[in-house]
Amino acid sequence: MTPVSAQDLTASAESTSAGPATPEVVAAPERLQTEFPFELPRGFVSGDGTVHRAGVMRLATARDELVPLRDLRVQENPAYLSVVLLARVITKLGTLPSIHDGVVENMFAADLAFLQDFYRQINAEGHTRAGVVCPHCSQPFEVELGGSRLGES
């Protein structure tokens, strides 16, 4: 964008009958949230007995959803797809140095179900908020699902 002097603005305003020129306003680009924190309801117990609950999941790419389909374990047992897929999109879990299929395989069923729901929420709807209605006053509001434990609001 070329700098505009006060003299240029005055000349432009005088040459039009519509009034003074308005400077162009450029909006800042919107940033897309690609990582979402979560907290497992039970927690993954590592080999040394440490419980890991806090983690981060990133948005899935098309590649994340396609590559596991070539995995022989998924071809033999389609239920294994969620294990491979979650291992690809969970970027952090507690103090674990890396997340792999073996970590997800050894999670408690409640944690696996939580992560499957969380995956659907952030990838299908793009956010971790849900619209709810108060059972007492019928007032609608939103609750944040990301980072909370099951049963908590």
Side-chain angles (χ1 to χ4, degrees), residues 124-142:
E125 297 183 23
H127 58 77
T128 59
R129 292 180 302 281
V132 295
V133 176
C134 176
H136 302 289
C137 68
S138 300
Q139 181 71 27
F141 63 98
E142 287 187 347

Side-chain angles (χ1 to χ4, degrees), residues 73-130:
R73 298 166 297 180
V74 173
Q75 291 174 0
E76 291 174 7
N77 181 2
Y80 202 73
L81 174 62
S82 65
V83 170
V84 177
L85 185 54
L86 288 172
R88 291 180 64 91
V89 297
I90 297 171
T91 59
K92 183 173 182 190
L93 184 59
T95 59
L96 294 175
S98 66
I99 311 301
H100 51 81
D101 302 348
V103 171
V104 180
E105 278 180 341
N106 289 300
M107 288 183 173
F108 294 110
D111 292 333
L112 181 61
F114 170 84
L115 289 169
Q116 289 169 331
D117 288 342
F118 191 71
Y119 175 91
R120 279 188 219 97
Q121 183 74 27
I122 67 171
N123 285 286
E125 297 183 23
H127 58 77
T128 59
R129 292 180 302 281

Side-chain angles (χ1 to χ4, degrees), residues 14 17 27 32 42 52 57 66-67 69 80 88 101 103 112 119 121-122 124-125 135 143 152-153:
E14 290 172 355
S17 58
L32 175 66
R42 298 221 185 266
H52 305 272
M57 183 183 294
L66 293 171
V67 168
L69 298 175
Y80 202 73
R88 291 180 64 91
D101 302 348
V103 171
L112 181 61
Y119 175 91
Q121 183 74 27
I122 67 171
E125 297 183 23
V143 293
E152 295 179 357
S153 55

